Amino acid sequence: GVSLAVNENLSISWGTRDVDFGGSTTEQQDSGVAASYTMGGITLVGSANSSDNVAGTEGTNDSHKELSVSFAF
């Protein structure tokens, strides 16, 4: 994966991986991207991840998206 602090407030990252289950002929392929932005006591975070061939089973796909906001007082 790769991550980059664009500036003191903004960070982005991207990554992939392949998982070999040994007994399966199909590898699970995962990928994701995330970004966070901090301004004072507020942080915004967003991410999107996907998996193809989940658990080595061809044709089973999954995805997850998340957005969060946190406040520090």
Side-chain angles (χ1 to χ4, degrees):
V2 177
S3 62
L4 174 67
V6 176
N7 57 39
E8 62 185 30
N9 298 325
L10 178 64
S11 296
I12 56 174
S13 62
W14 171 80
T16 63
R17 74 174 183 169
D18 292 335
V19 181
D20 184 3
F21 288 96
S24 175
T25 58
T26 305
E27 291 184 346
Q28 178 175 317
Q29 298 170 330
D30 303 320
S31 63
V33 62
S36 67
Y37 181 76
T38 302
M39 183 174 55
I42 300 173
T43 301
L44 302 169
V45 179
S47 64
N49 300 291
S50 65
S51 296
D52 296 328
N53 306 321
V54 176
T57 305
E58 191 169 342
T60 56
N61 303 322
D62 192 16
S63 65
H64 178 81
K65 295 177 180 85
E66 186 172 336
L67 181 61
S68 65
V69 178
S70 60
F71 301 91
F73 295 100

